[in-house]
Amino acid sequence: MSENKSERVADNGLINRRKLLELGLGGASIAASSAVLGAEQGLQIPDWSKMPGPGPTAYGQPSPHANLQRLASTPEATYPGGGLSRTPLQHLQGIITPNSLHFERHHAGIPDIDPINHKLVINGMVRQPLVFAYEDLLRYPMVSKVYFIECSGNGNTNTRGVSGGSAQSIHGLVSCAEWTGIPLSSLLDEAGVLPEADWVAAVGADAASMGRSIPIAKAMDDVLVALYQNGEPVRPEQGYPMRLFVPGWEGNISVKWLTQVKLTKVPAQFRDETSKYTDLLPDRRARQFTFPMETKSLITSPSGEMTLPRPGLYKITGIAWSGSGSIRQVEVSADGGQSWADALIESEQWDKALARFSIPWQWEGGEAVLQSRATDSAGNVQQTRQAVIADRGTSAFYHNPGIQSWSVNLQGEVSNIAV
Amino acid sequence: MSENKSERVADNGLINRRKLLELGLGGASIAASSAVLGAEQGLQIPDWSKMPGPGPTAYGQPSPHANLQRLASTPEATYPGGGLSRTPLQHLQGIITPNSLHFERHHAGIPDIDPINHKLVINGMVRQPLVFAYEDLLRYPMVSKVYFIECSGNGNTNTRGVSGGSAQSIHGLVSCAEWTGIPLSSLLDEAGVLPEADWVAAVGADAASMGRSIPIAKAMDDVLVALYQNGEPVRPEQGYPMRLFVPGWEGNISVKWLTQVKLTKVPAQFRDETSKYTDLLPDRRARQFTFPMETKSLITSPSGEMTLPRPGLYKITGIAWSGSGSIRQVEVSADGGQSWADALIESEQWDKALARFSIPWQWEGGEAVLQSRATDSAGNVQQTRQAVIADRGTSAFYHNPGIQSWSVNLQGEVSNIAV
């Protein structure tokens, strides 16, 4: 493979994002001419080419050779209902997270809700309180959009400088799917919101019963009562039979197992927006209602706990997202932020959805620190980890958009470092 | 619920697609004021609100209350390897088909391919033949797009006027997903296509070994070597570890379990483009290489084998697609095509992807014939069933885009009829 040093776009090996298409790959096997599938030249015909396999199934499963799994949390004795599982970001491509690998988070396990007995109540400061059965809601016009959702605590070990970990274990509480549901504004219009109502309180039906308050302007904007996730009914761990979906905002605000929406004058000041989901500052005050998730990106490969087998050409790839718009640009550095190059955006760039980026990288065997930095459509640039710490310290726990750094050592081992 | 007859947009009950947002639904329960979740007014607190549920899992599953399944074909003694399963279109929403419900089609069962031993060969009229291992391909820049894929035989019972059936059993060989892969043009450029090559022959590694020839212009345009389906590796029944993906064209051309791409001067004239996948005309000649799938739509609900429980307001919903562009418009009729109204498009309108539509319908208990008609971005209008028959008879078997009619009788029973 010939390599043109004039195509370097940043230091320590980063190559023009379009150059890979011309170079060919170091390491790809080159066949002699006339190689064809078959017995010629010693090629074996594999069994699967000679004998039929099993027939169709009612509900498909992945190949056993593609054994992707979520990583579940260890149960805590003092918080028995609390659990989560993290998406294997380092093994995914594109931007959609398949339903079975979508991250989950719950505080009293996952309720098994029979939709026949589930109700959605809209009450409070409305002209006419309403109660909906699941079947009623299915008749409403719906909206379908691809959106990310990120747990507000995602990535807190990066901010806190905890060593070790993988893309999954550090940042795996982010996923992206097609969400289909009824605009909340449709249902609120039907109930008739009274002019004195400024907030909407949303409550969940599980035993932990999440409660969050949302300003009326957002509630009437793009919030959905979501019933479908990538085309099929919402999964139990993502809120079956219905969840609120609040695009771009903290994941907890998208209340799962939604059962009540109450119009109020002031925020309800639930437990989940006072003792939890507030950002504790070093001076012991806390920020409340820090709603949107920030502009953020993450290199998913090469990433922590991986090993590069040998020097050569690699694809650096990852995801980027913003709670305030679409992704305009992603830059990558291989020298810990000293020099940056534009990455190729492989996916569409949709509002409040993940975007997929990649850039070729020639690893010559030396040390490197890999980073990515996103800019969104509103011009927000992803903060460095130090900027996040300067803004709120290391005990805020929520909102961890700081740049993630992966170090590569002389043996090709990739690990998480706090820069 | 007050009903404004001046909002009728077509005969037999169709209502302005935006009106539903204002009307409220006939049949929705109306609560007395101050109803809240709890013991007041006799409401029972369900068990799932009182007790924690189970914790996280490594690979999620749907709720047992949402028991969606593909419908598998019955094995045929004379064609033991041939099988398929159909997507439950009448139960899905949005436009993404979740991977486990994506339709499947195979001719020697599903091969269990270990990617370690799978090769992709590019040979024929190229400067340098190449052989790729799976790991090599993962390093290439990829493209991610949402595309439909439709089996070319989908809906043939509609053209042939076979009675009975559901949306799933008649038209369930269409699905839509995010497909992520390497542009075939990247790999062909690396091999170096010789000027005399006009066609690309693609071959599969399963025991039936699909073979299809593709004109070089299409191959260099938007064809992918697809490795990921909705973010995770392609499913075995959809071609794991890699398939060709040919946007908008007959499903079979997206060769599964892809193992060879050979550049040729003329079409290979494989079995799969001569004795199969050609359209037999009444005069016994056959059309060959009828590549794009036509502009088509389908009402998925109400649809065959459903029953409307009582007169009232219903949501007519369905999907539309075109192999030649995006969906510009969908119209719906409740009187067998005598009058038409514009439906609301609920999803985005992406090139060669499904679009989701809906329109409210006031069923007053009388007979009705429900139809939908799509127009794509190039101005192609979906053909009537009679127009399809006039063009190619009823024995062509492939390419069945004709308008689907669902009759509703006085008991509310919905069934397939051939109009």
Side-chain angles (χ1 to χ4, degrees), chain A residues 20-266:
Chain A
L20 185 62
L21 307 179
E22 303 164 28
L23 285 180
L25 291 184
S29 313
I30 307 295
S33 64
S34 306
V36 294
L37 181 71
E40 294 174 7
Q41 313 198 355
L43 288 176
Q44 299 296 324
I45 300 177
D47 284 347
W48 55 73
S49 296
K50 294 188 284 192
M51 296 184 309
T57 55
Y59 198 80
Q61 297 300 325
S63 168
H65 303 285
N67 185 27
L68 302 193
Q69 295 192 341
R70 296 188 293 217
L71 193 60
S73 56
T74 316
E76 279 181 67
T78 57
Y79 187 12
L84 57 84
S85 67
R86 296 179 160 99
T87 297
L89 298 173
Q90 63 275 19
H91 298 309
L92 299 182
Q93 281 291 338
I95 67 163
I96 296 287
T97 310
N99 289 343
S100 296
L101 295 174
H102 196 292
F103 86 88
E104 59 182 317
R105 179 72 172 120
H106 47 259
H107 303 280
I110 300 158
D112 174 19
I113 296 178
D114 184 342
I116 297 283
N117 295 319
H118 184 82
K119 299 278 178 280
L120 175 62
V121 171
I122 299 186
N123 63 354
M125 292 180 164
V126 292
R127 259 187 301 103
Q128 171 63 69
L130 298 171
V131 170
F132 294 95
Y134 184 61
E135 286 298 314
D136 300 331
L137 293 172
L138 293 179
R139 298 188 198 187
Y140 278 81
M142 296 183 191
V143 160
S144 286
K145 283 243 200 295
V146 176
Y147 287 129
F148 81 86
I149 181 169
E150 184 180 21
C151 178
S152 54
N154 195 31
N156 71 77
T157 56
N158 183 32
T159 304
R160 292 190 285 125
V162 177
S163 65
S166 65
Q168 178 171 19
S169 68
I170 303 170
H171 296 283
L173 299 176
V174 64
S175 300
C176 184
E178 179 197 43
W179 292 94
T180 300
I182 305 159
L184 180 62
S185 57
S186 305
L187 303 177
L188 296 185
D189 283 345
E190 189 176 333
V193 177
L194 298 175
E196 54 267 34
D198 288 331
W199 288 80
V200 171
V203 172
D206 62 316
S209 192
M210 176 75 71
R212 287 293 323 231
S213 303
I214 300 163
I216 191 86
K218 177 67 171 178
M220 297 299 285
D221 181 19
D222 56 1
V223 171
L224 304 176
V225 175
L227 302 167
Y228 293 85
Q229 172 186 0
N230 286 334
E232 64 181 348
V234 170
R235 289 290 182 93
E237 52 263 38
Q238 277 86 45
Y240 182 83
M242 61 190 71
R243 76 174 305 161
L244 200 65
F245 198 92
V246 187
W249 285 19
E250 290 187 351
N252 60 83
I253 304 175
S254 288
V255 173
K256 296 188 289 285
W257 315 294
L258 182 72
T259 193
Q260 182 183 16
V261 170
K262 186 171 183 179
L263 280 294
T264 61
K265 178 91 192 127
V266 295

Side-chain angles (χ1 to χ4, degrees), chain B residues 166-222:
Chain B
S166 66
Q168 179 172 19
S169 69
I170 302 169
H171 296 282
L173 299 176
V174 63
S175 300
C176 184
E178 178 197 45
W179 293 95
T180 300
I182 306 160
L184 180 60
S185 58
S186 305
L187 304 177
L188 296 185
D189 283 347
E190 188 175 334
V193 176
L194 298 176
E196 55 266 34
D198 287 331
W199 288 80
V200 171
V203 171
D206 62 316
S209 191
M210 177 75 71
R212 286 293 324 231
S213 304
I214 301 162
I216 191 87
K218 177 67 172 179
M220 297 299 285
D221 181 18
D222 57 1

Side-chain angles (χ1 to χ4, degrees), chain B residues 402-413:
Chain B
I403 287 174
Q404 170 68 47
S405 302
W406 305 115
S407 73
V408 182
N409 67 16
L410 301 176
Q411 290 76 44
E413 294 161 335

Side-chain angles (χ1 to χ4, degrees), chain B residues 89-113:
Chain B
L89 298 172
Q90 63 275 18
H91 298 308
L92 300 183
Q93 281 291 337
I95 65 163
I96 296 287
T97 310
N99 288 344
S100 296
L101 295 175
H102 196 293
F103 86 87
E104 60 182 318
R105 179 71 174 123
H106 47 259
H107 303 280
I110 300 158
D112 174 19
I113 296 179

